[in-house]
Amino acid sequence: MSEEIEATELANELLMEQVDKDEGAPGERHWHRLVAFSTLIFAMFAALGGLLSGITAHESTQEKTQEVISLTILEGDRVSVEVLKAKHDILLSLGESPDEAEIEAIRAFELEIEQKREEFAEEERLVQAIGQTHLIFAISVTFIAIAIALSGMSVVLGQKWLWVLGMVPGLAGAAGLVLGIITMLD
């Protein structure tokens, strides 16, 4: 993501140099200044999107780690229940009765396993939500990078329509950042 931010900053610097060198008609200068200003705004959005994308990637990794830990504990409890049940089956086949305390322990383990399964399902939902938010930010930054590239090319080629075309993915990327922030806050 930092490569995209560096590329965005470089494109913005090159564009500002072109505007400073421009000695064309006043209308051209005005258009170039609009392109430079919109590119600067999009570069700031790209930096914000990159930061938020990094934050959500970190959160996702932490939540996934917690999910793996919970799953490991769940499997350990499940194995304990299976061992106790197997012991009881062996005792019953030998004509002996199982210990009542162990029967209670099995019930307690089974109840705990069910609770952990519910917690695990909630953690999985949270991991998926954070992953979706991360994807929204990553796509938004990509759209903004496209807008910046088209804006820069519009000045180099002298084609205003490229700048107008570049505003479409740029505005979509900005809208995506807003959507990602709203999703992140929920």
Side-chain angles (χ1 to χ4, degrees):
M1 199 56 63
S2 64
E3 295 170 356
E4 291 174 347
I5 293 172
E6 289 177 20
T8 300
E9 289 173 357
L10 179 61
N12 192 41
E13 288 175 17
L14 292 173
L15 184 60
M16 291 305 289
E17 288 176 14
Q18 180 68 25
V19 169
D20 289 339
K21 290 180 189 176
D22 186 22
E23 296 181 13
E28 285 288 307
R29 274 193 87 107
H30 178 70
W31 171 63
H32 285 178
R33 290 193 185 283
L34 285 175
V35 172
F37 181 72
S38 65
T39 303
L40 176 65
I41 297 298
F42 286 144
M44 289 189 308
F45 281 147
L48 176 64
L51 173 67
L52 294 172
S53 181
I55 289 170
T56 54
H58 179 70
E59 282 181 31
S60 180
T61 301
Q62 285 182 322
E63 288 299 326
K64 194 66 174 172
T65 301
Q66 186 60 41
E67 181 182 2
V68 168
I69 291 169
S70 295
L71 182 59
T72 302
I73 292 170
L74 178 68
E75 284 301 308
D77 289 348
R78 189 190 61 74
V79 168
S80 295
V81 166
E82 292 301 318
V83 168
L84 286 174
K85 283 182 177 180
K87 177 184 174 186
H88 288 182
D89 289 343
I90 293 170
L91 286 173
L92 288 173
S93 68
L94 294 174
E96 297 180 26
S97 61
D99 184 11
E100 283 298 318
E102 286 182 349
I103 293 172
E104 285 302 315
I106 289 173
R107 288 187 189 128
F109 270 133
E110 287 175 335
L111 181 62
E112 188 177 336
I113 288 171
E114 188 55 39
Q115 289 172 341
K116 286 182 182 175
R117 278 193 181 128
E118 291 171 10
E119 291 172 10
F120 181 74
E122 179 60 26
E123 287 176 9
E124 179 62 26
R125 187 201 63 77
L126 184 59
V127 167
Q128 288 178 354
I130 292 170
Q132 288 175 342
T133 303
H134 173 73
L135 183 61
I136 290 170
F137 286 135
I139 291 171
S140 297
V141 169
T142 301
F143 279 150
I144 291 169
I146 291 168
I148 292 170
L150 288 173
S151 294
M153 290 306 298
S154 73
V155 171
V156 172
L157 298 175
Q159 302 294 317
K160 291 180 184 180
W161 65 271
L162 273 176
W163 174 62
V164 173
L165 180 67
M167 295 300 282
V168 174
L171 294 173
L177 285 179
V178 171
L179 175 64
I181 290 170
I182 290 169
T183 304
M184 192 172 157
L185 296 176
D186 282 342

